Amino acid sequence: MNVLVIDDDFINIKLVETFLKKHGGVSEIIKASNGLEALNTLTERSDIGLILLDIVMPVMNGLEFLDNVQVKEKIVNIPVIVLTTDETTKKEAFSKGATDFLTKPISEKLLFEKIGKFFK
């Protein structure tokens, strides 16, 4: 499965990428630094099976990204796991279509538990 990681923090992206490379079910890791860049990637590619989404980002934050995903038929069914330090956004993220939620700093074990549900 191809995974899109959306985060504006280079260190967070590197950490998640390191974890994902150890997971046997991940084929490719695609990176975006904000919600707008991610939406552009999703319109160009139809092979993304999972999205890992930060909330606090410039240009378009994670909640705005979720709003935009909901109106795009082609990408609305891609599971989205929110990765954030802001626990207060959990309820809003779920109401906007997030599939799951992980609080940073994330652990490899918890990430694998969350993404394991989406691998067939």
Side-chain angles (χ1 to χ4, degrees), residues 27-76:
S27 309
E28 184 181 356
I29 302 161
I30 302 101
K31 297 169 276 226
S33 60
N34 62 63
L36 185 59
E37 186 180 325
L39 282 176
N40 290 335
T41 300
L42 287 165
T43 55
E44 293 167 4
R45 298 184 63 148
S46 60
D47 62 343
I48 294 171
L50 178 66
I51 298 168
L52 301 178
L53 174 67
D54 183 28
I55 293 293
V56 182
M57 297 178 289
V59 184
M60 178 186 288
N61 71 35
L63 295 174
E64 293 167 328
F65 170 82
L66 287 169
D67 284 337
N68 280 279
V69 166
Q70 293 309 307
V71 298
K72 297 196 182 297
E73 191 176 318
K74 184 176 124 185
I75 56 179
V76 73

Side-chain angles (χ1 to χ4, degrees), residues 9-21 105-108 111:
D9 186 311
F10 176 77
I11 292 171
N12 287 334
I13 285 183
K14 278 294 171 202
L15 178 66
V16 171
E17 187 176 27
T18 300
F19 292 161
L20 291 175
K21 284 181 178 176
I106 61 167
S107 74
E108 182 177 317
L111 179 64

Side-chain angles (χ1 to χ4, degrees), residues 64-96:
E64 293 167 328
F65 170 82
L66 287 169
D67 284 337
N68 280 279
V69 166
Q70 293 309 307
V71 298
K72 297 196 182 297
E73 191 176 318
K74 184 176 124 185
I75 56 179
V76 73
N77 294 320
I78 300 172
V80 178
I81 300 174
V82 172
L83 310 176
T84 187
T85 54
D86 187 1
E87 187 78 32
T88 63
T89 60
K90 189 174 191 172
K91 185 176 179 184
E92 188 175 2
F94 280 126
S95 74
K96 293 177 181 283

